[in-house]
Amino acid sequence: CISAGAFARMCQTTRDTLRYYEKQGILVPKKSEKNGYHYYSYAQISSYYFISTFRGLGCSVEDIKEYLLGGEEVRFDGFVDRQYAALLMQQRELERRIGIIGNTRKLLEQIRKNDTGKPELYEQPEIFRLKVTKVLSDPATSFSEISTDIHRHLKECAHPGIQVFPMGASIGREDFQKEQYVYREVFSFADAQASGPGIRELSGRLTVVMVCREKDGDIRIAYQKIRNYLQEQALQLSSDLYSLSIVNVIDPNAERKYLKYIIACVEPVKSMSERHRGLKITRK
């Protein structure tokens, strides 16, 4: 027989853990009638490591107890298969979480590269896929005014392959050129496996981007800078303007703090001769 203290040291555990397992009925020592002390047998060492191994794999005490006390009808291979299936589910969930944080890290790396306070021409490493929800509210010039649309969007994003954070809203390219900053759609990012209504890809990888912070003042100043930049570089929008909200909070002093990443696909403006060459002339 081994005393509880010696058994704990041998198994590199604590007496509190042993008392917990005893209370759960899965590792019960013998109580001496002479002195009232608890003693474990050497055979229980393997039982302890069985319990600690599967506990370390995330197996519940209830499952372990079911197997240990279930009798011959509870087969060990079935027990192991259930734990294996549970771990595979945890692995898929962990991979999903890693994907979310990985995509966020990629986006933040882009923001660090483009955080110059002015528009930049940037070739995206891959074409963005989005989940979009049409804005039905009117007016729709702020997030507070499109709260019902955001609510609908969040419901539609409750599917695998759609990353709700970060979320943003788009302005139609025609409205943008007219300086009418009305939100057209709410959007979030979608991965390659996402499918269903509202999933789309941006029109290309060549983009104009700009990082905006609360210190930059009115967001319309950033929009004007983008329009000026497009004109200077002889570029035109080939997509809507997507304003991605990384941070958008109001502190206790009612001061707004935000970090936005504005993205829009662009292409060179065609000259008149290029436009004429692109026309299909039909002769009678």
Side-chain angles (χ1 to χ4, degrees), residues 169-221:
S170 66
I171 299 172
R173 54 181 171 177
E174 297 83 4
D175 288 336
F176 177 74
Q177 295 296 350
K178 297 174 184 176
E179 300 184 36
Q180 297 175 353
Y181 308 131
V182 179
Y183 289 138
R184 181 178 180 180
E185 294 172 326
V186 182
F187 73 92
S188 297
F189 290 111
D191 62 25
Q193 287 72 43
S195 60
I199 301 294
R200 77 159 68 118
E201 289 186 344
L202 289 190
S203 55
R205 292 170 53 193
L206 186 62
T207 60
V208 60
V209 300
M210 186 172 178
V211 177
C212 302
R213 302 176 182 273
E214 74 277 4
K215 66 179 178 60
D216 300 325
D218 194 331
I219 191 68
R220 290 174 294 185
I221 297 173

Side-chain angles (χ1 to χ4, degrees), residues 6-199:
F7 189 86
R9 289 190 297 273
M10 189 176 298
C11 296
Q12 300 180 32
T13 188
T14 65
R15 294 186 67 173
D16 286 342
T17 299
L18 295 179
R19 279 192 285 268
Y20 174 72
Y21 288 161
E22 179 184 356
K23 185 177 180 181
Q24 298 300 316
I26 56 177
L27 189 65
V28 181
K30 295 285 186 181
K31 186 176 181 179
S32 171
E33 296 180 356
K34 294 181 179 180
N35 56 24
Y37 292 164
H38 288 179
Y39 292 94
Y40 291 86
S41 69
Y42 282 96
Q44 287 179 296
I45 294 176
S46 61
S47 297
Y48 169 79
Y49 278 105
F50 169 84
I51 294 168
S52 63
T53 296
F54 281 93
R55 287 288 289 154
L57 294 174
C59 184
S60 69
V61 171
E62 290 74 18
D63 283 348
I64 293 174
K65 187 174 182 178
E66 180 186 355
Y67 171 71
L68 292 177
L69 306 181
E72 293 299 325
E73 68 274 9
V74 181
R75 292 174 56 86
F76 183 62
D77 54 354
F79 172 79
V80 171
D81 286 345
R82 289 198 302 275
Q83 307 315 314
Y84 182 71
L87 285 174
L88 287 179
M89 289 182 63
Q90 293 177 31
Q91 180 185 34
R92 288 191 288 269
E93 175 60 18
L94 184 60
E95 289 172 349
R96 184 188 71 82
R97 295 182 183 185
I98 291 173
I100 290 174
I101 198 67
N103 291 336
T104 304
R105 290 181 73 244
K106 290 179 184 178
L107 182 61
L108 291 175
E109 179 62 27
Q110 291 186 26
I111 290 175
R112 282 191 288 268
K113 289 179 180 178
N114 306 132
D115 193 6
T116 61
K118 59 183 181 180
E120 300 282 346
L121 192 63
Y122 183 71
E123 185 169 0
Q124 302 291 341
E126 58 189 41
I127 293 179
F128 286 129
R129 298 186 81 238
L130 306 175
K131 162 63 180 172
V132 301
T133 300
K134 186 177 180 180
V135 170
L136 303 178
S137 303
D138 185 19
T141 59
S142 68
F143 263 41
S144 60
E145 292 176 346
I146 62 171
S147 58
T148 56
D149 305 288
I150 293 173
H151 185 63
R152 285 190 297 110
H153 179 72
L154 292 174
K155 284 186 175 181
E156 294 176 8
C157 286
H159 298 284
I162 300 174
Q163 181 176 330
V164 175
F165 174 84
M167 182 173 59
S170 66
I171 299 172
R173 54 181 171 177
E174 297 83 4
D175 288 336
F176 177 74
Q177 295 296 350
K178 297 174 184 176
E179 300 184 36
Q180 297 175 353
Y181 308 131
V182 179
Y183 289 138
R184 181 178 180 180
E185 294 172 326
V186 182
F187 73 92
S188 297
F189 290 111
D191 62 25
Q193 287 72 43
S195 60
I199 301 294

Side-chain angles (χ1 to χ4, degrees), residues 225-237:
K225 288 182 179 180
I226 292 174
R227 257 195 317 276
N228 293 342
Y229 179 81
L230 294 174
Q231 187 174 5
E232 293 166 2
Q233 301 297 321
L235 296 170
Q236 62 186 3
L237 295 182

